[in-house]
């Protein structure tokens, strides 16, 4: 369906069709019929929700795309950290982003060579969108727990078996989270306005003081690069 004249924001996308929706790193990419793209980052509390005619927008809605069938797509963000940008065809908006962890290029060997010579704590490395694009704080904590790796270990100090375990864990955690339609520890909802399910499958994130589901020792919380980091001192080395 086409985008009807909106009159509010993004008036210049009137008449466009959304041809395709994809993801790059933490960005949702809506490719328009003109070849331009609407690129959205939800950040902490952003929501992209499709609503039927006659329904009320979410609080904090900043952008509304009206479609010819009366439905609309709202971009809401109460804390306003999120961003929506109209990108011209060929504009290299994602050139600062690293490899996609679910792409065929993200192999164990590629991961191993990315880590070599890096003294950064492995968790900080995982969160660096310029290296690997799309791993957030929740998934970094979960993957390191699954791989039995201490979050503060220097990236270059991981031996081959540890890199193999972490590679597997990153792909596994992201895959399971996608299957469960994301993690709603906070406000996150999908395009249908539904909460995800992965918050019910978290092993370590946000579980300070609770017994580690693997060994029973209490989960710790430290801070690495200003981000809360949950981990098990007994399991993760
Ligand atoms: Zn443990």
């Amino acid at each position: 369906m086409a985008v009807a004249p909106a009159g509010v924001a993004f008036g210049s996308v009137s008449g466009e069709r959304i041809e395709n929706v994809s993801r790059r790193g933490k960005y949702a990419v809506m490719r328009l019929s003109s070849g331009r793209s609407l690129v959205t980052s939800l950040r902490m509390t952003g929501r992209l929700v499709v609503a039927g005619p006659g329904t009320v927008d979410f609080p904090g809605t900043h952008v509304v795309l009206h479609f010819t069938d009366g439905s609309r797509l709202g971009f809401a963000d109460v804390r306003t950290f999120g961003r929506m940008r109209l990108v011209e065809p060929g504009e290299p908006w994602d050139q600062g982003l690293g490899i996609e962890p679910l792409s065929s290029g993200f192999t164990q060997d590629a991961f191993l060579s990315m880590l070599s010579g890096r003294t950064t704590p492995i968790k900080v490395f995982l969160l660096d969108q310029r290296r690997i694009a799309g791993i957030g704080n929740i998934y970094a904590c979960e993957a390191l727990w699954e791989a039995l790796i201490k979050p503060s270990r220097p990236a270059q100090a991981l031996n081959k078996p540890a890199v193999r375990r972490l590679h597997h864990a990153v792909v596994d955690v992201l895959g399971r989270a996608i299957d469960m339609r994301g993690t709603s520890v906070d406000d996150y909802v999908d395009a249908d306005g539904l909460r995800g399910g992965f918050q019910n499958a978290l092993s370590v994130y946000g579980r300070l003081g609770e017994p580690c589901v693997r060994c029973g020792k209490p989960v710790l919380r430290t801070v690495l690069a200003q981000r809360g980091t949950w981990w098990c001192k007994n399991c993760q080395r």
Side-chain angles (χ1 to χ4, degrees):
M1 74 201 78
V3 179
V8 193
F10 293 102
S12 62
V13 300
S14 289
E16 292 266 24
R17 292 174 63 90
I18 295 176
E19 299 285 350
N20 167 282
V21 182
S22 60
R23 180 193 57 75
R24 172 78 174 102
K26 297 181 182 177
Y27 298 86
V29 183
M30 287 178 267
R31 195 167 51 76
L32 307 177
S33 43
S34 63
R36 299 183 297 174
S37 295
L38 273 176
V39 176
T40 307
S41 166
L42 300 177
R43 301 292 293 277
M44 301 291 283
T45 55
R47 298 165 162 185
L48 274 175
V49 177
V50 178
T55 51
V56 180
D57 287 324
F58 269 105
T61 294
H62 299 282
V63 179
V64 182
L65 300 179
H66 296 268
F67 298 100
T68 48
D69 70 349
S71 65
R72 59 197 192 284
L73 174 68
F75 174 43
D77 187 0
V78 288
R79 288 174 68 183
T80 68
F81 291 119
R83 293 287 179 269
M84 181 181 264
R85 263 191 71 199
L86 184 59
V87 170
E88 294 300 319
E91 194 182 327
W93 68 272
D94 66 342
Q95 66 180 358
L97 294 179
I99 192 166
E100 285 290 327
L102 299 178
S103 70
S104 57
F106 184 63
T107 61
Q108 289 178 6
D109 285 345
F111 190 31
L112 187 66
S113 64
M114 288 168 79
L115 299 178
S116 98
R118 299 277 164 196
T119 54
T120 329
I122 183 61
K123 183 183 174 232
V124 178
F125 184 93
L126 290 178
L127 293 178
D128 186 345
Q129 302 299 301
R130 298 167 300 178
R131 310 286 171 204
I132 304 171
I135 304 176
N137 197 37
I138 296 171
Y139 303 133
C141 289
E142 291 294 308
L144 287 164
W145 179 85
E146 188 172 311
L148 307 159
I149 295 167
K150 187 177 174 178
S152 61
R153 250 174 88 182
Q156 64 176 6
L158 271 62
N159 62 18
K160 241 181 170 172
V163 171
R164 206 176 301 131
R165 288 200 308 274
L166 184 54
H167 179 274
H168 180 271
V170 163
V171 173
D172 176 66
V173 165
L174 291 176
R176 285 192 292 123
I178 290 169
D179 285 347
M180 297 178 86
R181 300 175 8 270
T183 311
S184 296
V185 288
D186 212 334
D187 293 353
Y188 174 74
V189 291
D190 69 11
D192 295 320
L194 301 172
R195 287 166 61 82
F198 197 65
Q199 67 279 4
N200 302 316
L202 295 172
S203 297
V204 73
Y205 178 89
R207 303 178 68 111
L208 174 65
E210 292 178 36
C212 168
V213 295
R214 188 164 42 212
C215 76
K217 294 274 192 293
V219 169
L220 302 181
R221 181 186 184 275
T222 50
V223 176
L224 277 175
Q226 290 93 51
R227 306 301 304 273
T229 302
W230 288 263
W231 63 294
C232 175
K233 194 177 180 179
N234 188 44
C235 291
Q236 295 174 252
R237 305 292 168 92

